[in-house]
Amino acid sequence: GESVGLHLPTLSVQEGDNSIINCAYSNSASDYFIWYKQESGKGPQFIIDIRSNMDKRQGQRVTVLLNKTVKHLSLQIAATQPGDSAVYFCAENTSQGGKLIFGQGTELSVKP
Amino acid sequence: EAGVTQSPTHLIKTRGQQATLRCSPISGHTSVYWYQQALGLGLQFLLWYDEGEERNRGNFPPRFSGRQFPNYSSELNVNALELEDSALYLCASSPWRGGNQPQHFGDGTRLSIL
């Protein structure tokens, strides 16, 4: 069925290190992908997006990589900080319009 | 700019009752989306409204319904509540109904069924 999956449910990193969160998607027709950060008690917060005509996009301390050949998405966070501790979700936009399909989420824990 | 606002923050109901959840989108956004985030199940798409009409619906029973008002705010109604409906209900909005626009989320309504 439809799914966007994450390889690692939990990730623990040292403060100052770089973090990489991975995501596999199944719908080859998806053409838009988003990464969200969800802190405890809050809704998902938009981090960065990428369209299928790109393979890399950079933001402030974050980079998203898209590999359409293997249907893989990753989020790289540079110089990870304690404030980055949260659950991170990838999501894909389907051809059905409007509907986002979310991965199960990866919990990022940053050790001081 | 105010973000997506949802009310109430928490809602406690008993089985068989009806619940109404409310959402105000970001100013200028015409599309509103509802998602259910149940423990262990991730975010599941419920409904999408744009310009007052239902555009898409997720795999949920008909007792989940909603509407969008002329000011683009939205309500989610859940009838005949069941224990499994306990979840965080998230509303999101985006500028228009075309694709490739990020959806921005509120902080949700926590619905607890006793």
Side-chain angles (χ1 to χ4, degrees):
Chain A
E2 299 174 318
S3 67
V4 178
L6 292 169
H7 296 162
L8 298 172
T10 60
L11 177 64
S12 184
V13 301
Q14 205 70 36
E15 181 178 0
D17 287 351
N18 295 333
S19 302
I20 299 176
I21 301 172
N22 296 301
C23 175
Y25 65 94
S26 59
N27 189 347
S28 55
S30 293
D31 59 2
Y32 180 58
F33 304 88
I34 309 174
W35 280 101
Y36 288 95
K37 171 187 179 184
Q38 187 173 26
E39 296 174 280
S40 180
K42 296 193 173 184
Q45 176 188 0
F46 171 79
I47 301 174
I48 192 167
D49 58 0
I50 188 167
R51 291 165 176 72
S52 59
N53 61 352
M54 304 171 69
D55 53 20
K56 180 179 180 179
R57 192 169 187 214
Q58 290 183 290
Q60 187 177 11
R61 283 201 306 118
V62 294
T63 300
V64 55
L65 299 178
L66 176 63
N67 186 329
K68 295 180 287 294
T69 302
V70 295
K71 292 188 286 187
H72 184 268
L73 195 66
S74 68
L75 176 70
Q76 301 177 1
I77 304 173
T80 313
Q81 302 168 1
D84 295 326
S85 293
V87 177
Y88 289 80
F89 293 94
C90 62
E92 67 179 299
N93 185 248
T94 72
S95 58
Q96 295 175 27
K99 172 182 179 179
L100 287 177
I101 295 177
F102 283 82
Q104 65 184 48
T106 292
E107 183 172 7
L108 176 65
S109 176
V110 182
K111 296 177 289 186
Chain B
E1 177 183 86
V4 175
T5 58
Q6 294 187 243
S7 63
T9 305
H10 295 92
L11 190 57
I12 299 175
K13 294 285 185 177
T14 58
R15 286 180 60 191
Q17 285 189 314
Q18 184 256 354
T20 298
L21 289 62
R22 297 179 176 82
C23 172
S24 292
I26 292 171
S27 178
H29 287 191
T30 62
S31 276
V32 170
Y33 313 83
W34 288 94
Y35 293 84
Q36 182 194 67
Q37 187 173 27
L39 198 61
L41 293 179
L43 284 95
Q44 304 290 322
F45 169 76
L46 262 168
L47 289 159
W48 170 31
Y49 292 95
D50 184 80
E51 296 288 355
E53 296 195 11
E54 182 180 303
R55 301 294 181 181
N56 197 3
R57 181 181 183 85
N59 188 25
F60 282 84
R63 57 192 185 81
F64 286 83
S65 65
R67 55 180 172 167
Q68 187 179 33
F69 299 99
N71 66 353
Y72 303 112
S73 66
S74 177
E75 275 184 0
L76 174 68
N77 295 293
V78 188
N79 294 321
L81 287 165
E82 301 179 2
L83 294 176
E84 65 193 34
D85 297 333
S86 293
L88 180 67
Y89 288 85
L90 292 160
C91 174
S93 71
S94 70
W96 62 295
R97 65 181 172 129
N100 298 341
Q101 295 286 336
Q103 297 178 18
H104 298 274
F105 286 81
D107 287 336
T109 292
R110 173 73 61 185
L111 177 62
S112 298
I113 312 303
L114 304 179

